[in-house]
Amino acid sequence: MIHGLNGDIEQLGERYLFAEAERRVAKFRASHPGAELVRLGIGDVTLPLPEVVVRALVRGAEALGDPEKFVGYGDSMGDISLRRAICERYARRGVDLNENEIFVNDGAKGDLGSICELFEVGGTSLIVDPSYPVYFDASVMAHRKIFSLEARAEDGYIPLPHGIPREPMLIYLCSPSNPTGTVIPRDALGEWVEFAILSGSAIVFDAAYEAYISDASLPHSIFEIPGAEKCAVEVCSLSKSAGFTGLRCGWCAISEKSPLHALWARRRSARFNGACRLTECGALAALSPEGEAACRERIDYYMAGAKILASALTSRKISYVGGLHAPYLWVDCPDGSDSWEAFDALLERVGVISTPGVGFGASGEGHLRLSSFAPHEEIQRGAERILSFF
Ligand code: PLP
């Protein structure tokens, strides 16, 4: 018997959304060995890495095997050329960040959780419901209280800081949202920044899907909003834009004007020895003009898939949001069924794998998330099957 374990982790239970969905799919496969399933569930990319990234990885690996070029530990903030390239990317959107304000990481997920370490134990995390489950899980594991804010259909699933106590919180915002696919517009984001400054709160802005935004007037970064430099941390990733879900690279941006900057730098120096050098070579290539063009092709492909799904749903007047600025569609379950019932029925009756909305929070009940990270032929087949189901 080991004493003193983190009871809050135990309290979370074993059931992580995607693990449970996989378990049900595996059970179905075992009892239907010949079934040809259409996967519109987990949000992992399906297209291979851009050629320019692969070439950079090979060159990077060769350099590590060359006695003249070998280097061990790198800059723990991240390769300086990569950080500069990230700053240039921000500059193209009018955001002024310098290379000391970029912390390269091994993907967004880790930092989205470990940011909790900057805040006192027992503080409150404001979590939009529905949202990416990591914000909730990480906050609970860090012994934080949860203030749940429902993103309501009436507001287009855009979270707003209305009717909430003006007290310091760690506010998680995700735009474009996983799971609803909706983008927080500039004025609403402005309200959040104002609220954070007035209440002494911090905002963690998850921009993992920013590259999918197709309307030039919508903000890609919270740092497009004046004042955000005082209160926000932005976490971004190459996972969904450049296909790095396996390679692992992202970054955290914090202004030196924010007290969070020094704390994060200190925490990081104790916890992280820098991202993988090879990954950084690939990331730099992904941010080059050739890399960005290849990423754009991939994003366009996934969004064309979202359009196939959206047209099918629209043709049958099935209610949904999303699919415009993110590869996700947030669909109402048929006939008032709950989301696990609809997930099971869709799987068992027509062989389509979706994601049950309730896994993203209680307000996700009654919804399914469909993902367009799939080959178009599969999406087409999925769309036909969904229409036969609804
Ligand atoms: N943020 C959101 C909203 C996501 O959906 C995901 C992954 O699905 C992540 C962050 C994690 O991304 P990464 O692969 O960079 O850890």
Side-chain angles (χ1 to χ4, degrees):
M1 175 93 178
I2 299 175
H3 296 278
L5 295 179
N6 185 339
D8 285 331
I9 300 183
E10 284 176 323
Q11 235 194 334
L12 276 177
E14 272 179 27
R15 250 189 32 184
Y16 182 60
L17 163 67
F18 299 109
E20 174 61 12
E22 282 297 320
R23 194 188 64 74
R24 292 185 188 213
V25 171
K27 190 168 162 220
F28 179 79
R29 276 193 209 282
S31 54
H32 301 78
E36 201 197 314
L37 299 181
V38 173
R39 298 178 63 93
L40 304 178
I42 290 183
D44 195 357
V45 293
T46 50
L47 294 171
L49 289 169
E51 182 58 36
V52 62
V53 171
V54 176
R55 286 201 306 270
L57 292 174
V58 171
R59 275 199 310 276
E62 282 167 356
L64 289 182
D66 180 339
E68 303 291 316
K69 295 185 184 152
F70 173 78
V71 268
Y73 288 125
D75 184 333
S76 74
M77 291 279 288
D79 175 71
I80 185 69
S81 312
L82 176 57
R83 285 188 282 136
R84 285 190 183 132
I86 293 168
C87 291
E88 278 162 27
R89 182 180 157 115
Y90 276 113
R92 289 197 285 279
R93 292 214 56 86
V95 171
D96 183 22
L97 286 167
N98 70 55
E99 59 260 25
N100 296 328
E101 296 173 319
I102 305 294
F103 301 81
V104 175
N105 61 25
D106 57 357
K109 192 178 197 172
D111 281 358
L112 284 167
S114 48
I115 201 84
C116 290
E117 277 189 60
L118 302 196
F119 300 88
E120 63 186 354
V121 172
T124 301
S125 293
L126 181 150
I127 294 174
V128 176
D129 185 354
S131 64
Y132 182 51
V134 168
Y135 319 140
F136 178 88
D137 288 359
S139 295
V140 169
M141 288 185 204
H143 314 294
R144 299 183 62 74
K145 297 193 275 286
I146 306 294
F147 183 94
S148 186
L149 178 72
E150 186 183 353
R152 301 177 321 156
E154 307 85 282
D155 300 324
Y157 293 101
I158 291 160
L160 293 164
H162 297 170
I164 55 181
R166 192 184 281 192
E167 56 189 55
M169 291 190 264
L170 167 52
I171 300 167
Y172 279 98
L173 296 177
C174 181
S175 177
S177 156
N178 176 11
T180 63
T182 48
V183 180
I184 306 178
R186 204 169 290 276
D187 51 351
L189 214 44
E191 285 194 47
W192 276 110
V193 168
E194 193 185 336
F195 174 82
I197 291 171
L198 291 175
S199 61
S201 296
I203 296 175
V204 173
F205 188 74
D206 183 349
Y209 295 91
E210 61 80 27
Y212 285 79
I213 295 175
S214 59
D215 175 341
S217 70
L218 292 169
H220 287 232
S221 163
I222 194 160
F223 294 118
E224 291 176 45
I225 310 299
E229 67 285 353
K230 294 186 207 145
C231 60
V233 170
E234 179 157 304
V235 181
C236 200
S237 168
L238 292 176
S239 280
K240 308 299 164 80
S241 58
F244 274 48
T245 49
L247 207 50
R248 315 298 306 143
C249 192
W251 62 87
C252 203
I254 311 179
S255 165
E256 288 178 307
K257 295 188 188 98
S258 162
L260 297 170
H261 185 277
L263 279 189
W264 186 245
R266 180 66 188 90
R267 180 220 165 260
R268 220 176 111 107
S269 70
R271 293 263 199 200
F272 194 58
N273 264 340
C276 165
R277 275 191 178 279
L278 283 189
T279 295
E280 289 186 321
C281 295
L284 189 55
L287 296 180
S288 68
E290 189 185 344
E292 293 230 319
C295 293
R296 175 54 40 208
E297 274 174 25
R298 281 157 177 74
I299 291 168
D300 289 348
Y301 181 85
Y302 295 131
M303 292 313 291
K307 208 165 175 184
I308 298 174
L309 288 172
S311 309
L313 296 171
T314 306
S315 74
R316 196 57 64 80
K317 297 194 169 54
I318 299 164
S319 177
Y320 75 95
V321 293
L324 272 181
H325 308 294
Y328 298 126
L329 292 92
W330 187 243
V331 185
D332 289 1
C333 293
D335 308 324
S337 54
D338 76 37
S339 37
W340 278 113
E341 275 166 9
F343 171 89
D344 287 337
L346 201 54
L347 175 64
E348 284 158 23
R349 290 194 359 224
V350 293
V352 171
I353 306 171
S354 59
T355 307
V358 73
F360 298 94
S363 303
E365 186 53 280
H367 295 85
L368 290 173
R369 189 197 72 175
L370 298 179
S371 155
S372 63
F373 284 128
H376 286 178
E377 315 77 68
E378 198 168 343
I379 293 200
Q380 193 61 54
R381 221 173 325 129
E384 284 157 19
R385 291 186 189 187
I386 287 168
L387 291 186
S388 74
F389 170 79
F390 272 82

